Amino acid sequence: MLTGDVFVQEGLITPEQLQLATEKQLEMGGDDPIARVMVEMGLISERDRVRCMGKVWGVPYIDLASVSPTDQAVALLSPQFAKRFKSIPIELKDSKLIVAMANPLDVFVIDELRMNTGYEIEPMIAVEEDILTCLADKYKLDVNLGDAILGVMKDFDGDLDVKAGPSREDDDELSEAQLRELGEDAPVVRLANLIINQAIADKASDIHVEPRKDCVMVRLRIDGIMMDAMKLPRKVSAPLASRFKIVANMDIAEKRTPQDNRISATIGGKEFDFRVSTLPVVYGEKIVMRVLDKAGINVGLSKLGFLSHNLKMLEDMAQRSFGIVLVTGPTGSGKSTTLYSLINQSNDGLKNIITIEDPVEYELGSINQCNVNVKAGMTFAAGLRSMLRQDPDVIMIGEMRDRETATTAMEAALTGHLVFSTLHTNDASSAPSRLMDMDVEPFLIASSLVGVLAQRLVRQICPNCKESYVASRETLLRYGFPVPEEVGAETRGELKLFKGAGCDQCKGTGYKSRTGVHELLTLSDEIRDKILHRCPSHEIRNLAIANGMKTLQMDAVQKILMGVTSVDEVLRVIYA
């Protein structure tokens, strides 16, 4: 079986997409395996690639997110060896040791495993990221958090005792040389590394270092929820802030003005970008770091939680030659990830794609990306006008903030360009009204707009502690959920729903990772007429629903009934 064919047989891609990937592979020199090319194009996820490569090679796939290695098996292999060869023992079975490996065809590693453990090896293929996460968990390679903090604090007490316990005024009086010395001391470096490693291990999207009156709190945003991670002594505030500012190449002597910058780092074999921001607060400087996993942006549209009818329409929009597609939602609703996935979907290697962002969040190798720089006159509007002289096929605008940007974008969409952008509205049907509020002419909106996607992110129920329960259809109706009439008809109104009980893997929350809830408005002739006549958003919404649009609430109900998320989570995010 040819490698590419297995992905078609699994229903992950179409034959046409396989052909595009093959052409892209040849364009790149033909050295990269076709499966990796498809991951880079966003056609498949890394997990799908690994699973299907296991089928091609005849090696079983193991999902380490749902299978936990036994302590007996883990004890058979040293942490150093396991990390070096990216392998982790799973269990002893019939005198054979089952081992999850990133490369199960490496016979030399298998021989080393056999000699080190004394058992015959049965290799299984797993996602490398899952292996590294499992190694960190089982072998404590990223160190035990409590012990590490105690160790670092002892070093602080020994090395920095003369500077211990500064007040806010003392912090202000430290010279630049003293601050740099503090930020480069070994205990400070280890503490900063510990915070970052812990955030990555917990898959946090943001790190918050908050100086308070009597302590420094480190909080992580995990799956959209802020969680306390560490409580540190007050005396580490100035050294820790200085350390992060040194790494981010900021002015460490400037403590009264906000600063921001970005840094790149390779941690555990993976590339990360960090957007670092400082803010002067009452008791020092608050540091916030946005964690950007470069590998996480190539997930592809099919992995963002779209139901089949929305996915097909969105894929068709991404292949259009002109028009404008808007993604709407509040901050933190996953708009950027969807935009990048749309760009990857339309990136067949034959188009000139240019983006203007504030700032560039993820660097994509085959795409031209520009940063907004207001001081230099590089606004969204000015950048967009310049981009149109660069012969683009596809344009991505980070955000439509003003009339000039929106009008220019829509004129570009009418002159043969495909445009993607974001807009801040609560739902899809409000987008035309919002654009009219920005003084964009209705005929421009009606002529250029192809579709509007509204979205939110909800937490998924943890698969390890997922449990079912029975609820009545009337209960969901009382909450305001639009439950279809046919649902529960055969079970006398009783529905099987799911929730997370809480376990070690999800830190007792009952949830692990997030998925999207979507509402996709497509522009029909009737809706264009409504826009031309400046009809209010509720009329557009009612007409769109009559034409088959699934609202955010309808999409959320489907995901509740599928067991993807819970009633409480949807109430928190959609109905709050």
Side-chain angles (χ1 to χ4, degrees), residues 211-439:
R212 298 182 182 175
K213 184 175 182 179
D214 55 356
C215 67
V216 175
M217 285 299 301
V218 178
R219 301 203 294 162
L220 305 178
R221 187 178 293 280
I222 301 172
D223 292 336
I225 305 296
M226 292 291 290
M227 297 184 179
D228 291 345
M230 307 178 196
K231 184 176 181 179
L232 304 173
R234 175 73 182 86
K235 62 188 173 186
V236 309
S237 178
L240 196 55
S242 296
R243 176 59 190 167
F244 286 127
K245 289 166 76 174
I246 288 170
V247 174
N249 197 27
M250 294 178 178
D251 182 355
I252 61 172
E254 180 54 74
K255 292 172 287 184
R256 293 175 175 81
T257 304
Q259 299 183 64
D260 61 85
N261 209 338
R262 64 187 297 150
I263 56 177
S264 297
T266 300
I267 300 170
K270 293 182 63 180
E271 291 186 358
F272 292 88
D273 278 344
F274 298 88
R275 274 182 18 211
V276 186
S277 170
T278 72
L279 180 70
V281 293
V282 174
Y283 294 105
E285 284 183 284
K286 178 178 177 180
I287 310 288
V288 175
M289 288 180 284
R290 168 67 56 89
V291 183
L292 302 170
D293 180 357
K294 289 187 175 181
I297 201 62
N298 292 320
V299 291
L301 283 175
S302 60
K303 307 305 174 188
L304 297 181
F306 288 99
L307 297 180
S308 57
H309 62 282
N310 282 340
L311 177 62
K312 179 65 172 67
M313 289 190 290
L314 204 58
E315 287 177 337
D316 290 343
M317 290 178 189
Q319 296 304 322
R320 291 178 65 105
S321 57
F322 65 92
I324 186 164
V325 179
L326 294 177
V327 182
T328 78
T331 302
S333 60
K335 297 190 297 296
S336 295
T337 301
T338 300
L339 277 181
Y340 281 115
S341 298
L342 281 166
I343 285 177
N344 279 330
Q345 185 76 23
S346 60
N347 184 18
D348 55 10
L350 305 176
K351 298 186 179 99
N352 176 23
I353 301 175
I354 309 178
T355 76
I356 180 165
E357 306 166 60
D358 185 21
V360 171
E361 289 195 40
Y362 296 91
E363 296 177 6
L364 304 175
S366 59
I367 291 172
N368 306 287
Q369 296 171 274
C370 309
N371 266 314
V372 165
N373 187 338
V374 177
K375 290 181 179 178
M378 182 68 162
T379 61
F380 276 118
L384 179 55
R385 287 195 301 271
S386 299
M387 287 161 57
L388 291 173
R389 295 191 287 271
Q390 292 285 315
D391 185 33
D393 297 295
V394 180
I395 298 169
M396 193 265 269
I397 307 164
E399 185 182 344
M400 284 193 179
R401 295 179 178 172
D402 52 59
R403 176 185 178 277
E404 187 180 4
T405 303
T407 300
T408 306
M410 292 186 177
E411 289 172 347
L414 290 176
T415 55
H417 304 89
L418 181 60
V419 181
F420 299 115
S421 188
T422 68
L423 192 68
H424 284 286
T425 63
N426 288 326
D427 57 18
S429 54
S430 299
S433 299
R434 175 75 184 97
L435 290 168
M436 283 186 269
D437 287 342
M438 294 164 63
D439 291 330

Side-chain angles (χ1 to χ4, degrees), residues 301 303-307 310 332-335 337-338 453-460 513-519 552 555-560 562 564-565 570 573-574:
L301 283 175
K303 307 305 174 188
L304 297 181
F306 288 99
L307 297 180
N310 282 340
S333 60
K335 297 190 297 296
T337 301
T338 300
L453 174 72
Q455 69 177 53
R456 302 289 189 276
L457 290 178
V458 295
R459 291 180 293 174
Q460 297 186 90
S513 77
R514 289 187 290 177
T515 191
V517 175
H518 307 96
E519 174 179 295
L552 285 168
D555 196 87
V557 166
Q558 288 296 312
K559 290 181 169 68
I560 290 173
M562 292 163 60
V564 174
T565 190
V570 170
V573 175
I574 308 295

Side-chain angles (χ1 to χ4, degrees), residues 473 483-490:
R473 183 173 183 274
V483 184
E485 291 185 7
E486 64 274 12
V487 172
E490 297 179 358

Side-chain angles (χ1 to χ4, degrees), residues 130-146:
D130 291 348
I131 292 175
L132 294 174
T133 301
C134 206
L135 287 172
D137 178 50
K138 289 297 178 179
Y139 289 115
K140 307 302 179 188
L141 293 178
D142 284 336
V143 303
N144 176 277
L145 186 57

